Amino acid sequence: VNTFKNVFDNIVVHNMHKEGDLITNFMCDSMPDATYSCDRLKKGAVHLPSRNGSVNLDADIIAVEARRRGLLQKALSRQDVSDAVLGYMERTGKLIPRKCDQ
């Protein structure tokens, strides 16, 4: 932080572990000019999602590994393979088995 203070005059360190809502704490504690946003967040006038939705990366992992092992034609892109795997899973109802390291 001290390195950047020589270049910027408005460095703020935000405690992400503070009790309460992260976005409200950030807007109210770390952005001093965001009083309107802070007030609306504190009053509950803004709906914030409770969590980010998860993204299933299984098909992408398969595409990357298939490319690494030389199993794909060069013309096939990572996205093409990932989309094909997802399409297969949707059509057949099959799931990718999981192997847990013990």
Side-chain angles (χ1 to χ4, degrees):
V1 173
N2 289 330
T3 301
F4 294 109
K5 283 187 177 182
N6 293 330
V7 181
F8 302 100
D9 62 353
N10 59 350
I11 298 291
V12 175
V13 177
H14 180 77
N15 179 2
M16 293 177 60
H17 304 288
K18 180 180 177 181
E19 285 292 320
D21 176 67
L22 175 64
I23 295 173
T24 301
N25 290 342
F26 178 75
M27 294 300 286
C28 296
D29 299 343
S30 297
M31 299 190 69
D33 294 331
T35 56
Y36 176 80
S37 298
C38 176
D39 290 342
R40 290 188 41 89
L41 286 163
K42 283 184 175 179
K43 291 176 183 172
V46 177
H47 172 71
L48 298 173
S50 59
R51 300 186 67 116
N52 286 337
S54 64
V55 176
N56 185 330
L57 297 174
D58 290 346
D60 186 62
I61 292 168
I62 288 174
V64 170
E65 185 61 18
R67 171 79 64 213
R68 188 186 74 77
R69 292 184 184 197
L71 301 173
L72 302 177
Q73 298 171 3
K74 292 191 185 259
L76 293 173
S77 72
R78 178 177 177 173
Q79 189 66 53
D80 292 338
V81 176
S82 180
D83 290 345
V85 170
L86 287 173
Y88 175 80
M89 290 170 58
E90 289 173 7
R91 284 190 312 278
T92 64
K94 292 187 177 184
L95 299 176
I96 297 171
R98 305 259 179 186
K99 177 183 173 188
C100 297
D101 294 331
Q102 299 285 344

